[in-house]
């Protein structure tokens, strides 16, 4: 059965979507069958995969709330991963679900039928801890937390850990944290270095912090705009290999 990993941090702009598709592409290179799930009405992951979210007739919204078979929603990316896309319709789902039965387990139900077809299912969460994100955490085995090496980043980690504790108590006692992934690391500043050190000091004894650090580079945005993984788009550029190393770390030591 595949590992379901939620890429989650309620803080915005920490590279959740970027990490989801690049890690997915790197895992696919290592012969893994990968499904990417966009669980953000912004549709960033869908865009990174080369699709225009608002032109898609059917998205995860239809599969979650309109009983559309998931095969009708599924797309194939040109870097080997499958994708369940999202667009702004997903924000309606958040409202529709409030009064629904089993409202926190809809995504889990959707993925249950897919788990045996993939080695990895990566869920890109939106920057909030509402009902849709709760659904992601109820469906996941693991959380991977991208943390930007920036001011205030660590406060966000505390908020996320609180949510993690609640979900484990109420919804998903098996949920664990795969690790923290330092992102947006600026090699030129002391500040980035300090935040990384503090991340290790405060959380390193209890949680895994990946050795792999993702440097800040405009190339990531360019690669996303081109719908390509960074290691294909910016071959030879320092840092472009980082998500391959992350994939290795995750495969080597689950
Ligand atoms: N390593 C990086 N260096 C520089 N820019 C990056 C890096 N990774 C991602 N970005 C850019 O930063 C922006 C935010 O990244 P991304 O969308 O992946 O973050 P996110 O956490 O998913 O955001 P949101 O919270 O809005 O969902 C994007 O423009 C992206 O291209
Ligand atoms: Mg995102």
């Amino acid at each position: 059965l595949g590992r379901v990993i939620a890429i989650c941090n309620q803080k915005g702009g920490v590279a959740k979507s970027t990490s989801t598709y690049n890690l997915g592409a790197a895992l696919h290179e290592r012969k893994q069958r990968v499904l990417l799930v966009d669980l953000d009405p912004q549709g960033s992951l869908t865009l990174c995969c080369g699709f225009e979210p608002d032109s898609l007739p059917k998205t995860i919204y239809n599969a979650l709330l309109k009983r559309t078979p998931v095969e009708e929603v599924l797309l194939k990316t040109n870097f080997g991963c499958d994708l369940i896309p999202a667009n702004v319709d997903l924000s309606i789902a958040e409202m529709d679900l409030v009064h629904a039965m089993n409202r926190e387990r809809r995504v889990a139900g959707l993925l249950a039928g897919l788990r045996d077809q993939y080695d990895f299912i990566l869920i890109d969460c939106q920057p909030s801890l509402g009902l849709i994100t709760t659904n992601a955490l109820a469906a996941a085995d693991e959380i991977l937390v991208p943390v930007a090496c920036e001011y205030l980043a660590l406060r966000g980690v505390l908020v996320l850990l609180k949510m993690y504790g609640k979900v484990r108590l109420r919804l998903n006692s098996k949920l664990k944290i795969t690790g923290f992934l330092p992102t947006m690391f600026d090699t030129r500043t002391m500040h980035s270095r300090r935040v990384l050190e503090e991340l290790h000091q405060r959380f390193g004894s209890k949680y895994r912090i990946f050795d792999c650090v993702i440097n800040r580079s405009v190339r990531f945005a360019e690669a996303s705009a081109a719908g390509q993984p960074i290691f294909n788009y910016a071959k030879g550029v320092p840092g472009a290999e980082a998500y391959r190393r992350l994939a290795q770390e995750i495969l080597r030591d689950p």
Side-chain angles (χ1 to χ4, degrees):
L1 228 56
R3 285 167 70 180
V4 181
I5 306 182
I7 320 297
C8 187
N9 188 337
Q10 78 287 346
K11 195 164 173 9
V14 298
K16 293 179 287 294
S17 305
T18 303
S19 299
T20 306
Y21 91 95
N22 280 297
L23 173 61
L27 287 168
H28 170 76
E29 274 195 338
R30 306 220 133 213
K31 307 277 185 284
Q32 305 297 304
R33 297 166 299 167
V34 181
L35 172 65
L36 307 176
V37 181
D38 195 346
L39 218 50
D40 182 351
Q42 294 179 98
S44 312
L45 176 67
T46 301
L47 257 176
C48 290
C49 290
F51 300 96
E52 180 51 56
D54 294 323
S55 70
L56 296 171
K58 285 175 186 166
T59 61
I60 193 163
Y61 168 75
N62 303 78
L64 284 177
L65 283 138
K66 300 291 172 192
R67 296 169 188 275
T68 303
V70 72
E71 303 79 60
E72 288 181 29
V73 174
L74 212 71
L75 299 171
K76 298 220 173 285
T77 70
N78 60 16
F79 50 84
C81 300
D82 290 351
L83 168 72
I84 300 182
N87 63 20
V88 68
D89 289 348
L90 187 62
S91 56
I92 308 169
E94 186 112 26
M95 290 184 273
D96 289 357
L97 279 176
V98 169
H99 300 292
M101 289 272 287
N102 231 349
R103 57 185 185 154
E104 282 146 333
R105 300 198 191 272
R106 288 296 180 100
V107 172
L110 183 72
L111 298 183
L114 294 166
R115 290 188 67 149
D116 57 346
Q117 298 168 42
Y118 296 97
D119 301 304
F120 285 91
I121 298 181
L122 306 181
I123 308 175
D124 181 25
C125 296
Q126 66 185 101
S128 87
L129 294 176
L131 187 50
I132 297 289
T133 301
T134 307
N135 260 270
L137 300 185
D141 307 309
E142 309 167 32
I143 312 180
L144 189 156
V145 189
V147 180
C149 298
E150 285 167 355
Y151 184 57
L152 295 181
L154 302 186
R155 289 177 66 108
V157 171
L158 291 172
V159 174
L160 184 79
L161 287 174
K162 210 178 252 181
M163 172 79 171
Y164 167 65
K166 276 189 193 166
V167 170
R168 276 185 28 131
L169 268 179
R170 286 183 40 235
L171 288 167
N172 184 358
S173 59
K174 297 205 176 90
L175 187 65
K176 58 175 199 169
I177 294 188
T178 314
F180 293 98
L181 174 68
T183 63
M184 309 282 185
F185 185 83
D186 193 333
T187 49
R188 295 163 306 179
T189 67
M190 272 309 287
H191 180 66
S192 263
R193 229 171 288 269
R194 236 178 270 132
V195 173
L196 185 59
E197 261 167 35
E198 208 185 327
L199 183 67
H200 278 274
Q201 272 166 18
R202 286 174 64 179
F203 303 104
S205 60
K206 210 162 164 211
Y207 302 98
R208 165 153 68 159
I209 295 159
F210 291 108
D211 294 333
C212 151
V213 172
I214 312 294
N215 286 347
R216 181 182 283 284
S217 159
V218 70
R219 294 299 183 132
F220 286 95
E222 291 175 8
S224 294
Q228 282 187 46
I230 184 73
F231 42 79
N232 290 344
Y233 180 83
K235 275 196 190 84
V237 171
E241 296 294 313
Y243 283 103
R244 279 183 171 145
R245 288 205 305 279
L246 177 64
Q248 274 174 34
E249 279 191 63
I250 287 177
L251 284 169
R252 190 187 334 128
D253 179 17

